[in-house]
Amino acid sequence: MSTHVIEIENLSRRFGKKQALANVCLSVPEGAVFGLVGENGAGKTTLLKHILGFLKPQSGTVRVFGLDPVADPPGVLSRIGHLSETRDLPPWMTIRELFEFTRAFYPKWDPVYAEELRMMFELTMTQKVSTLSRGQLARAGLLLALAHRPPLLVLDEPSSGLDPLVRKDILDAIIRTVVDEGRTVLFSSHLLDEVQRVSDQVAILDQGQLLLTSPLDEVLVSHFRLTVSFAEP
Ligand code: ATP
């Protein structure tokens, strides 16, 4: 029987009149690369914030490793590597300072692994966050998310705003760590084709509703016109 790292039942969320999530049910099996696809405003970030415990469910339940992320933030967050959509790294810090700062939060931070990742991502210790390109920023954020070897990665649009080659690099780096270490990954994207390429399972969010969970059926996809609506301009 497969274990589910994330289990969400009937999760709903309103912001004023806006129904951001409507009765979302989702299960992410251990060891899976799970892609969450949706257009701008579909509710992807809102869903991920509930998994991280940054938002409290207005109705429904969220369990991560069997725990309630709002009731037990250390129990959940210590096991998650998170990359936010906005990256949110202090611009005045160098990569070395980011290492020291992040390491202080995570007892399981692995300096040897962090150094391996730093070399793989071609970042230098003296580089300041404010001088990083978007691709380097994504790599730095990913490095910080990975270096305490969390069993679960929650990545909000890890490839957003990157050119196609860098995008492929980033996603391949994520997948490599999963294959190597049996992690579970939940990541969001606008791009159905890239999600399909790297994911074991896919869920599609549309205006807060979960339309479809894979195995992805091409007939359904074309019915919902998703390949067209998710293509980047
Ligand atoms: P994007 O790809 O543009 O980041 P998304 O799929 O991540 O979009 P969300 O950020 O989850 O979408 O937003 C879903 C809806 O909820 C949007 O209509 C958004 O404007 C609204 N929303 C999200 N957070 C808030 C908030 N704090 N206050 C008010 N409305 C919000």
Side-chain angles (χ1 to χ4, degrees), residues 11-228:
L11 177 65
S12 295
R13 175 83 203 190
R14 273 184 172 279
F15 294 106
K17 288 186 181 164
K18 177 74 195 176
Q19 184 81 50
L21 294 174
N23 289 316
V24 169
C25 297
L26 186 72
S27 296
V28 178
E30 188 173 12
V33 178
F34 198 107
L36 183 64
V37 192
E39 298 182 288
N40 284 325
K44 304 181 295 299
T45 302
T46 304
L47 181 57
L48 299 186
K49 282 182 177 172
H50 281 88
I51 291 165
L52 294 159
F54 298 171
L55 287 173
K56 189 174 177 174
Q58 288 169 334
S59 64
T61 57
V62 175
R63 291 290 177 270
V64 183
F65 299 106
L67 303 170
D68 175 349
V70 175
D72 187 357
V76 172
L77 287 178
S78 62
R79 296 191 220 178
I80 295 181
H82 172 225
L83 181 67
S84 77
E85 189 181 15
T86 52
R87 312 303 185 231
D88 291 334
L89 299 177
W92 61 88
M93 282 195 184
T94 61
I95 297 292
R96 188 190 309 282
E97 286 165 341
L98 277 178
F99 271 36
E100 287 161 7
F101 176 76
T102 312
R103 187 177 178 171
F105 285 100
Y106 294 111
K108 291 191 178 163
W109 174 274
D110 180 339
V112 176
Y113 183 46
E115 182 57 16
E116 271 174 28
L117 291 168
R118 187 185 67 75
M119 291 198 293
M120 183 170 93
F121 291 157
E122 297 176 350
L123 296 164
T124 54
M125 283 294 199
T126 51
Q127 272 177 299
K128 264 198 173 171
V129 169
S130 58
T131 68
L132 299 180
S133 68
R134 292 189 76 154
Q136 289 171 319
L137 204 52
R139 290 190 182 105
L142 193 56
L143 190 164
L144 300 178
L146 289 169
H148 63 290
R149 295 187 180 273
L152 171 63
L153 289 173
V154 175
L155 310 172
D156 200 352
E157 307 208 19
S159 62
S160 156
L162 306 178
D163 68 54
L165 267 183
V166 181
R167 217 157 60 201
K168 187 170 178 302
D169 273 5
I170 293 281
L171 289 177
D172 289 350
I174 295 167
I175 302 318
R176 200 157 43 237
T177 75
V178 174
V179 171
D180 288 353
E181 305 199 8
R183 290 191 172 109
T184 307
V185 178
L186 173 63
F187 79 104
S188 67
S189 174
H190 291 117
L191 301 173
L192 186 61
D193 58 343
E194 85 175 8
V195 170
Q196 269 183 293
R197 187 176 72 80
V198 299
S199 303
D200 304 313
Q201 289 199 36
V202 179
I204 295 177
L205 255 185
D206 182 33
Q207 298 183 51
Q209 310 237 13
L210 205 67
L211 289 186
L212 159 80
T213 306
S214 70
L216 210 53
D217 182 325
E218 294 292 340
V219 178
L220 273 175
V221 169
S222 62
H223 172 70
F224 288 118
R225 292 168 281 112
L226 293 165
T227 25
V228 176

